[in-house]
Amino acid sequence: MQISPNSVASFHYTLTDDQGQVIDSSEGREPLTYLHGGGHIVPGLEKQMAGRVVGDKFNADVTPEEGYGVHHAELMQEVPREAFQGVEDIQPGMQFQGRGPQGEINVTVTRVENDKVFIDGNHPLAGKTLHFAIEVTGVRDASAEELEHGHVHGAGGHHH
Ligand code: ZN
């Protein structure tokens, strides 16, 4: 059975960057399970999952445009420290919810300098080419209820 729209597919993955550094991996965990065609995984990977069958192992390279987006310089901002009231010790790497042009965004503190805080609203993987090593571990038809909800139920999915 091939992965096609409305399949529920499971896969193991290792994600590395251009330098070969591992960014994320399902090793030692349950495989990732998703409803194919629903935009639950990055578009560039979803495209390359189509037509695969259980046992397929392949490498997928995904451009930033089809991954987590290109890097937008305008999402990097400098804000006064008093904007972070109630936070005593602001450190690079801390994440906050902020307001962007399209609603709520997550921002990451990149630098703190005296009374200035530099934040970045880009996804941490924005602008990066993604290199996936994939092993398909399961394919089945989605149930009517899963299709109606738009997500997977049971193992690796929603429990409700
Ligand atoms: Zn549901």
Side-chain angles (χ1 to χ4, degrees), residues 145 149 151 153 158 160:
E145 193 186 42
H149 289 199
H151 56 225
H153 291 164
H158 287 239
H160 63 114

Side-chain angles (χ1 to χ4, degrees), residues 34-152:
Y34 76 105
L35 179 59
H36 187 79
H40 296 287
I41 59 175
V42 293
L45 180 58
E46 187 161 53
K47 257 187 216 173
Q48 297 185 58
M49 291 294 288
R52 306 286 180 175
V53 297
V54 171
D56 275 1
K57 288 185 186 182
F58 63 99
N59 294 314
D61 296 327
V62 174
T63 62
E65 289 80 3
E66 291 195 310
Y68 290 98
V70 296
H71 194 271
H72 294 286
E74 67 271 23
L75 291 178
M76 301 183 74
Q77 288 177 5
E78 179 191 314
V79 293
R81 207 195 158 102
E82 58 256 33
F84 295 87
Q85 287 197 358
V87 187
E88 269 179 30
D89 190 20
I90 301 178
Q91 295 289 339
M94 288 174 84
Q95 294 197 321
F96 295 93
Q97 287 257 304
R99 204 168 295 280
Q102 265 101 49
E104 295 263 292
I105 55 167
N106 287 313
V107 299
T108 306
V109 174
T110 55
R111 199 150 56 90
V112 182
E113 237 178 64
N114 301 319
D115 57 349
K116 286 181 200 146
V117 178
F118 296 82
I119 57 168
D120 188 349
N122 288 286
H123 188 282
L125 296 178
K128 291 194 201 279
T129 299
L130 311 172
H131 305 278
F132 289 97
I134 300 291
E135 181 181 357
V136 179
T137 59
V139 187
R140 63 170 172 83
D141 285 325
S143 69
E145 193 186 42
E146 287 174 323
L147 291 177
E148 195 185 311
H149 289 199
H151 56 225
V152 174

